[in-house]
Amino acid sequence: SAVISQKPSRDICQRGTSLTIQCQVDSQVTMMFWYRQQPGQSLTLIATANQGSEATYESGFVIDKFPISRPNLTFSTLTVSNMSPEDSSIYLCSGGTFEKLFFGSGTQLSVL
Amino acid sequence: GENVEQHPSTLSVQEGDSAVIKCTYSDSASNYFPWYKQELGKRPQLIIDIRSNVGEKKDQRIAVTLNKTAKHFSLHITETQPEDSAVYFCAASSRGSTLGRLYFGRGTQLTVWP
């Protein structure tokens, strides 16, 4: 399986601030995605992180709120901007090979 | 886009019994169907997957079946053990033969009682 490292593992933030989450994957990975998982809920795809170009966002997610970078094949960041309590969730980086998708350990975000 | 429905939302079984979780999907172009197990506070772990050119796949106590005509697939766990207790998610990928976006079901909380 692919090795996916994500940090921070958790953070508590104030309303109106921004948090950047980092994800490092090993070289087996070609595709990278960002998911959100609210407590007790399923996984919702935020966007596909495209190397060297703008991310592809799913319906309901916009670049101004969730800017994503992927400067090279193995690294990506997700920023949660201008946070509100509704952004409290677990954010998961994921990486895939041709066939399989693996997940990072997640970032548990609490917004006060 | 793809819509994945998963049932039941909760499932309790006695140790040693079998457990079955069922999912349906809407997009006939979907051709990759993984299952993930997520223990409390942990990341989702891929446990088994199946492609649309295969009807059934087994890995020890776990098996997955796929009915393309009916657009449903199922996870079967035999001889359940307490460590099988977790949330299980099914998913479908609708982007051709390469790994595309995965659409997840809502999850099934499986509890195995000793």
Side-chain angles (χ1 to χ4, degrees):
Chain A
S1 64
V3 177
I4 302 178
S5 302
Q6 185 174 342
K7 60 180 182 181
S9 58
R10 61 178 65 235
D11 208 340
I12 300 172
C13 301
Q14 295 295 321
R15 181 195 299 260
T17 63
S18 298
L19 175 72
T20 295
I21 303 167
Q22 297 181 10
C23 180
Q24 181 78 45
V25 302
D26 67 23
S27 57
Q28 297 178 59
V29 168
T30 54
M31 306 286 288
M32 292 184 74
F33 306 90
W34 288 95
Y35 283 83
R36 182 172 73 182
Q37 186 176 31
Q38 294 179 310
Q41 301 297 313
S42 187
L43 297 99
T44 301
L45 180 62
I46 298 172
T48 303
N50 299 309
Q51 182 187 355
S53 64
E54 189 172 292
T56 304
Y57 290 85
E58 296 297 305
S59 176
F61 297 96
V62 295
I63 187 170
D64 290 346
K65 177 66 176 177
F66 298 101
I68 289 170
S69 76
R70 188 181 176 190
N72 57 55
L73 192 62
T74 61
F75 184 78
S76 178
T77 65
L78 166 72
T79 298
V80 186
S81 303
N82 188 25
M83 288 184 284
S84 66
E86 293 72 36
D87 295 320
S88 297
S89 189
I90 296 172
Y91 293 85
L92 291 151
C93 170
S94 64
T97 62
F98 178 75
E99 290 188 326
K100 301 181 187 298
L101 186 70
F102 302 97
F103 287 88
S105 54
T107 296
Q108 184 168 341
L109 172 62
S110 299
V111 183
L112 305 178
Chain B
E2 176 65 276
N3 181 45
V4 178
E5 301 280 346
Q6 183 173 347
H7 299 280
S9 56
T10 61
L11 179 60
S12 293
V13 300
Q14 202 72 33
E15 182 178 2
D17 289 350
S18 295
V20 180
I21 303 171
K22 299 181 178 182
C23 289
T24 61
Y25 60 98
S26 61
D27 187 351
S28 57
S30 290
N31 69 345
Y32 175 63
F33 307 93
W35 287 87
Y36 288 83
K37 174 184 180 182
Q38 187 175 32
E39 297 176 53
L40 189 63
K42 301 285 183 65
R43 74 187 76 189
Q45 297 273 14
L46 178 66
I47 57 171
I48 195 168
D49 55 10
I50 192 169
R51 290 202 170 271
S52 58
N53 59 345
V54 175
E56 183 176 0
K57 184 177 179 180
K58 288 184 179 180
D59 183 4
Q60 300 182 0
R61 296 186 296 108
I62 294 173
V64 57
T65 59
L66 171 66
N67 183 326
K68 283 196 315 181
T69 303
K71 289 191 280 190
H72 70 68
F73 56 112
S74 301
L75 178 71
H76 304 252
I77 306 174
T78 58
E79 301 173 28
T80 53
Q81 301 167 4
E83 50 266 39
D84 294 329
S85 297
V87 179
Y88 291 81
F89 293 98
C90 64
S93 175
S94 63
R95 190 181 162 189
S97 60
T98 58
L99 180 66
R101 303 189 301 279
L102 281 182
Y103 296 89
F104 284 83
R106 289 182 171 271
T108 297
Q109 172 69 63
L110 173 64
T111 303
V112 181
W113 299 101

